[in-house]
Amino acid sequence: MSSSTFKQAILNKRMLICIFTGFSSGLPLFVLYQLVPGWLRSEGVSLTEIGLFSLIGIPYVWKFFWSPLMDRYSLGSMGRRRSWMLATQILLLVSIGAFGYINPAMDIWSVAYLAAGVAFFSASQDIVLDAYRRELLPENELGLGNSIHVQAYRLSGLVPGSLAFILADHISWQSVFMIVAAFMVLGIVLTLCIKELDTEHNAPKSLHEAVVLPFRDFIQSNGVKTALYTLAFLVLYKLGDNMATALQTPFFIDMGFSKTEIGVIAKTSSMIAMTIGIIVGGVVMIKLSINRALWLFGFVQIASILGFAALAEIGHNNYALALAIGFEYLGVGLGTAAFTAFIARATNPAFAATQIALFTAIAVLPRTFANATTGIIVEQIGWTQFYFLCTALAIPGMLMLFKVAPWNEPQITTGTNS
């Protein structure tokens, strides 16, 4: 690729949009998986109960059930994609702020119901943001665009995972949740500023088409055997690191770190790691294939899990915490970037919302159900052995690469856009 083509791939409006879609998509997820568990732990809720809170991620698993509705219908004059974006983002702003009005020690069920609502609105926002991004990016920009989206997605975690904990040592939790919720305004501004895309793929003519055609296309394009290999890969590739990060904040608290230490160190080390990740991820995605990125970043992803095992042995040490968080942001961020690009490439733009919803829903199955057992596992075997277990669970996903993304062969893609 020539230097001019490389610059054109990076310096364009589409990449800027990917930054905003990533931030808006990641914020509510990190509220659920970093801020809420840390808040509950600081309020004296047990690890077992916090682990069970992973079940509120069920909407991320089942979102393909209502994605055809979002493919078929529009909510108003803003267009099919933008109208759903705006509705979900406003609902997220309100529901995230509402956490601050609940006392978890007195009313844990209200926290659970509200968390389930945030998960539903967040999953719905993801459906339409993923579809919009798939329609926005040309084939040669899928790797870089999704890499930037994922790094911005990770960047959004600094708000609930860093800023919120620094603030929590100085102001009330109610104010903390209101401030975090206000960051959803960035997504709303994006929705109001972008335009609905004119694509060659029209909305399905009926709800029946919206439901049936995406699944038929997925099976017919490659056959049943390849489709099953792809689905197995989607489940296994992120299993280990999803479990490893499920109780990240409670783990840091159990190691004796204060909320301010977690916030400040997480902010510094993750910013450095994400800067490296954006550069490395972008170059690799453009210069190498998505297949090879999955291999390279997959190994880094596995190694990053061992950083938590090391921290569990070292204990309260700020340098060790910085290295563990930084390596986790780098490894998991790069692995997610390649994985997201793989999913985007495997879809047919004509059925973007439903196919991406299906693939990403399958990918978060382990995060939702396996993560619900993480608190129980930790209390039985301890933090160090838990992270060794997570490392072992990451290996089967790497082995699946031989079938779905071999190093020296072009990947067998799903859909008609390959």
Side-chain angles (χ1 to χ4, degrees), residues 272-292:
I272 294 172
M274 281 187 291
T275 301
I276 297 172
I278 290 172
I279 297 171
V280 174
V283 171
V284 170
M285 289 291 192
I286 291 177
K287 299 292 186 180
L288 300 179
S289 66
I290 292 175
N291 284 20
R292 294 188 176 189

Side-chain angles (χ1 to χ4, degrees), residues 284-319:
V284 170
M285 289 291 192
I286 291 177
K287 299 292 186 180
L288 300 179
S289 66
I290 292 175
N291 284 20
R292 294 188 176 189
L294 285 166
W295 282 92
L296 293 173
F297 298 161
F299 283 118
V300 177
Q301 187 174 264
I302 289 176
S304 70
I305 301 173
L306 294 173
F308 287 118
L311 180 61
E313 289 297 300
I314 295 169
H316 187 280
N317 181 293
N318 288 346
Y319 293 106

Side-chain angles (χ1 to χ4, degrees), residues 23 28 52 123 169 204 245 301 393 402:
F23 190 93
L52 291 174
D169 270 343
T245 57
Q301 187 174 264
L393 290 173
F402 286 105

Side-chain angles (χ1 to χ4, degrees), residues 45-96:
V45 179
S46 73
L47 280 177
T48 298
E49 287 180 298
I50 295 172
L52 291 174
F53 258 76
S54 295
L55 292 174
I56 54 91
I58 287 176
Y60 291 101
V61 177
W62 299 111
K63 62 185 179 180
F64 61 89
F65 275 114
W66 66 92
S67 60
L69 293 172
M70 303 178 78
D71 242 349
R72 171 67 182 89
Y73 300 108
S74 171
L75 292 181
S77 59
M78 291 182 65
R80 189 163 47 117
R81 303 303 187 202
R82 293 174 68 230
S83 63
W84 284 107
M85 284 186 205
L86 186 62
T88 55
Q89 288 161 351
I90 291 174
L91 288 168
L92 283 167
L93 187 152
V94 173
S95 56
I96 291 171

